[in-house]
Amino acid sequence: MSLVTTTEMFKKAYDGGYAVGAFNVNNMEIVQGITEAAGELNSPVILQVSKGARAYANHTYLVKLVEAAVEENPQIPIALHLDHGDTFELCKSCIDGGFTSVMIDASSKSFEDNIALTKQVVEYAHAHGVVVEAELGTLAGIEDEVVVEAGKEAYTRPEEVEEFVDKTGCDSLAIAIGTSHGAYKFTAAQCTRNADGILVPPPLRFDVLEECIKRLPGFPIVLHGSSSVPQEFVKMVNQYGGNMPDAVGIPEEQLRQAAKLAVCKINIDSDIRLAMTGNIRKYFAEHPDHFDPRQYLKPARQAVKDMVAHKILHVLGSDGKA
Ligand SMILES: [Zn+2]
């Protein structure tokens, strides 16, 4: 199988009541960890590349790594997606350069300007067999170069979604219902604390999601900023010399619930970073004399694989759906 678009994936996910994981990739170990898990569990998967990842690893390296993963896992559909494209030129460069899906994120612009830029990208993408994700509403938090201060976020306005999709022709829509980018999704003031002193974030706005679904029947919805920031990794980071107090994410059971509805794509990045960093810190602490990168990248890659397998089985529900 060669790289695919998300069209067929999303149709099956919508009808089947599950979501496809979209995991950010930056290097070989991450690509391998994700696709080994998806391959073994027969799950479709989306590998996504941000502007920052392209700047870090180089477009060609990332495309070739993903092509290698496709060759190694011919039994599953894999899509290559641009995460948070912010200009027509960036989207065009990825469309011309082998991606099967792009996101144009013009959500910080006015409704009219968001429509105009999204429509321009859709026209070019569709002419080249590539699909487009757009965004309405603004998530809080930090993701590479996308920075939104707390208090500047805005839930998607359901009354706008039909007009937006009609006028732009986009293939999927990212909405803001209370998810957030990064490992510090909420301030302590926004949360309560459970018996163990761990922050519990405010619940996702399922009323906003339901209202969007009603207005866009059959249309795939995307959730960004959907890492759960597993406390086992935060603990590991802190135990072995790190300092990440009060890192908090989206509870997995809420994501599972969204995946059963019209949410067909769930973005996960911070959990990959945490799994790798926690395990590398632990390895360094336990083996101060080791200096071969393969020694510490091996458990880091395994941690990514185990984490992704957990998401596929218990959050996304996409196992056996290849
Ligand atoms: Zn995002």
Side-chain angles (χ1 to χ4, degrees), residues 83-84 143 181 224-225 267:
D83 192 22
H84 289 286
E143 182 180 25
H181 289 127
H224 280 244
N267 289 8

Side-chain angles (χ1 to χ4, degrees), residues 16-23 34 36-45 252-253 255-257 259-260 266 268 304-322:
Y18 62 92
V20 179
F23 300 95
I34 296 164
E36 280 175 19
E40 285 178 19
L41 292 169
N42 264 307
S43 168
V45 73
E252 290 187 334
E253 58 277 13
L255 296 170
R256 182 75 200 96
Q257 196 185 333
K260 286 180 182 165
I266 292 184
I268 296 167
V304 172
K305 181 178 174 181
D306 294 345
M307 189 276 294
V308 170
H310 169 83
K311 300 284 182 190
I312 288 171
L313 289 167
H314 302 292
V315 180
L316 302 160
S318 62
D319 52 301
K321 305 293 200 299

Side-chain angles (χ1 to χ4, degrees), residues 168-189:
T168 62
C170 66
D171 302 279
S172 62
L173 184 66
I175 63 169
I177 61 167
T179 59
S180 170
H181 289 127
Y184 298 94
K185 297 189 186 300
F186 306 96
T187 63

